[in-house]
Amino acid sequence: MSSDALANANHYFQKASSILELGDDVTIQLRTPHREVKTECTIRMDDGSIGTFVGFRVQHDNSRGPFKGGLRYHFEVDEQEVTALAQLMTWKTAVVGVPFGGAKGGITCDTSKLSEGELQRLTRRFVDGIYEVIGEKTDIPAPDMYTNAQVMAWFFDQYTKYRGYAPGVVTGKPVAIGGSLGRAAATGRGCLFACENLLEALGDSLEGKRVVVQGFGNVGSWAARLFAERGATIVGIADISGGYVNPAGIDAEAAIAYVGAHRTLEGFTGGDHVDGDTLLATDCDILVPAALGGVLTKDVAESVRATIIVEGANGPTTPEADEVFERRGVHVIPDIYANAGGVTVSYFEWTQNLQNFYWEEERVNDELRRVMKNAFKELWSTSRSRELSLRMAAYVVGVGRVYEATKLRGV
Ligand code: GLU
């Protein structure tokens, strides 16, 4: 994603703003982030040296509710990327109708080179740098790439040292300390519901569909497992070690167990090893990009054989690739809807924290299904009535809702 990320996010926003005829002044108001924090995170490394990292928190918009969005620990994290992702969160929460605004944060670092102790110290130091601008009713972080429930637990613990017990300050926590059942699977499950909703609208179903999942972290691995459970055949998976293809079907559970034991898919024998571009061009019906942004470029888009793309990642498709997909009649289920299952269950976790009343997993999954279904109905009818792609329909719905809230609250 990196440097083009902001340009891409602004591209779609700008188009939506023109369709909604918002005018230049309002467009600038909605696009401009509310607050950007950049903080030095210096820690003692295990070898005794001093390690200095930079952390960011960008709060884009809070007209519909407190700022909300994940924390990403990755070497490509920079101000532009975080700003773009914060904006995407604003439209995403609006598309699924959860009462939050949009934010994103991150630390520029390579987690594969950090020990658990270093990761914990880095997280605590980051909280020290941003605790004044976050809170249960202000801004609620969550996991994103290379952060997980353990990182959220440290985050929560450090925050309580400043402000006392406040589990709703962060979501995606371990269940033992106020996390929600179903949160770990939520983004992958949301991808499944999004895809099933589209298939239903097309008069089709998931049964027997061949699926390729690119990325095998939290989102990709859960998506592979859940799509397989619903009768699809997983014909390709991939992670940092490359792609693995098997037309007869990859055993998602075996792949997940393999990663549990070996950290990556390196050496996995459940499919033929291929490079990343070959994987994306694998013959299949559904492609789920669930890794970094910007992987589906114009050239790659020409070679994709899937007819449905479910954007598990944020920003996996470049605007040029999007045009190729539109021309070729490929259905792209856009990130700001397809991967909104994570923030939706974050919302359920937050409400459970505020009420101190916890739900059964079945209730979480049922409510998620309902939210994804209602959001889809709106996207589908907007896409039909205005003759827009699903992505532009999502932007029009999301931006329209944020505009309405902004107007009602006044300048
Ligand atoms: N990081 C996830 C996203 O991009 C989840 C955000 C959240 O739960 O607040 O949507």
Side-chain angles (χ1 to χ4, degrees), residues 211-252:
V211 180
V212 167
V213 181
Q214 183 245 4
F216 216 67
N218 172 275
V219 182
S221 60
W222 272 106
R225 168 183 274 156
L226 296 171
F227 275 78
E229 268 177 29
R230 297 285 296 164
T233 304
I234 309 301
V235 294
I237 55 174
D239 72 357
I240 192 127
S241 69
Y244 302 82
V245 172
N246 185 348
I250 288 171
D251 181 346

Side-chain angles (χ1 to χ4, degrees), residues 220-288:
S221 60
W222 272 106
R225 168 183 274 156
L226 296 171
F227 275 78
E229 268 177 29
R230 297 285 296 164
T233 304
I234 309 301
V235 294
I237 55 174
D239 72 357
I240 192 127
S241 69
Y244 302 82
V245 172
N246 185 348
I250 288 171
D251 181 346
E253 292 303 329
I256 290 167
Y258 190 90
V259 171
H262 302 91
R263 252 173 82 105
T264 72
L265 287 166
E266 179 88 63
F268 178 66
T269 53
D272 294 336
H273 193 228
V274 297
D275 65 33
D277 284 353
T278 309
L279 178 101
L280 295 170
T282 298
D283 194 16
C284 65
D285 305 300
I286 297 163
L287 172 63
V288 185

Side-chain angles (χ1 to χ4, degrees), residues 57 67-72 85 88-89 92-93 100-101 103-104 140-145 147 171-172 183 187 219 312-314 335 339-347 349:
R57 185 72 181 168
F67 299 106
K68 185 89 190 80
L71 295 176
R72 176 174 288 207
L85 293 167
L88 290 187
M89 286 307 304
K92 189 186 300 184
T93 52
F100 289 125
K104 201 75 165 200
I140 303 117
D144 196 82
M145 282 183 64
T147 55
T171 57
R183 175 63 184 85
T187 312
V219 182
N314 287 311
D335 49 5
N339 71 35
V343 74
T344 301
V345 177
S346 275
Y347 164 51
E349 177 173 335

Side-chain angles (χ1 to χ4, degrees), residues 73-319:
Y73 288 2
H74 193 261
F75 49 85
E76 280 181 6
V77 163
D78 61 23
E79 254 164 289
Q80 288 218 339
E81 184 186 69
V82 176
T83 305
L85 293 167
Q87 187 191 127
L88 290 187
M89 286 307 304
T90 299
W91 317 136
K92 189 186 300 184
T93 52
V95 163
V96 284
V98 296
F100 289 125
K104 201 75 165 200
I107 302 177
T108 316
C109 65
D110 183 350
T111 52
S112 71
K113 299 205 171 87
L114 295 172
S115 70
E116 174 140 332
E118 288 166 343
L119 209 55
Q120 177 171 172
R121 292 196 288 282
L122 189 56
T123 301
R124 290 185 186 278
R125 182 62 192 81
F126 182 54
V127 176
D128 296 341
I130 65 164
Y131 77 91
E132 285 167 301
V133 299
I134 60 168
E136 285 187 320
K137 301 281 175 67
T138 319
D139 180 2
I140 303 117
D144 196 82
M145 282 183 64
Y146 297 99
T147 55
N148 56 21
Q150 176 62 75
V151 172
M152 299 306 116
W154 295 325
F155 193 101
F156 156 67
D157 184 70
Q158 189 69 6
Y159 183 80
T160 62
K161 291 179 182 165
Y162 290 105
R163 299 283 196 247
Y165 182 69
V169 70
V170 64
T171 57
K173 298 178 293 296
V175 172
I177 54 167
S180 176
L181 293 168
R183 175 63 184 85
T187 312
R189 194 179 298 279
C191 288
L192 170 75
F193 291 156
C195 189
E196 287 187 321
N197 289 333
L198 173 67
L199 284 163
E200 195 189 321
L202 298 172
D204 205 343
S205 83
L206 199 56
E207 188 64 42
K209 292 282 181 299
R210 297 159 308 151
V211 180
V212 167
V213 181
Q214 183 245 4
F216 216 67
N218 172 275
V219 182
S221 60
W222 272 106
R225 168 183 274 156
L226 296 171
F227 275 78
E229 268 177 29
R230 297 285 296 164
T233 304
I234 309 301
V235 294
I237 55 174
D239 72 357
I240 192 127
S241 69
Y244 302 82
V245 172
N246 185 348
I250 288 171
D251 181 346
E253 292 303 329
I256 290 167
Y258 190 90
V259 171
H262 302 91
R263 252 173 82 105
T264 72
L265 287 166
E266 179 88 63
F268 178 66
T269 53
D272 294 336
H273 193 228
V274 297
D275 65 33
D277 284 353
T278 309
L279 178 101
L280 295 170
T282 298
D283 194 16
C284 65
D285 305 300
I286 297 163
L287 172 63
V288 185
L292 272 175
V295 290
L296 296 173
T297 58
K298 187 167 181 264
D299 290 345
V300 173
E302 295 285 2
S303 68
V304 164
R305 292 160 80 178
T307 53
I308 293 177
I309 294 174
V310 186
E311 293 187 336
N314 287 311
T317 310
T318 67

Side-chain angles (χ1 to χ4, degrees), residues 37-43 50-56 107 122 125-126 128-130:
V37 177
K38 183 172 175 180
T39 181
E40 175 202 334
C41 302
T42 293
I43 58 163
I50 291 168
T52 296
F53 302 84
V54 178
F56 305 91
I107 302 177
L122 189 56
R125 182 62 192 81
F126 182 54
D128 296 341
I130 65 164

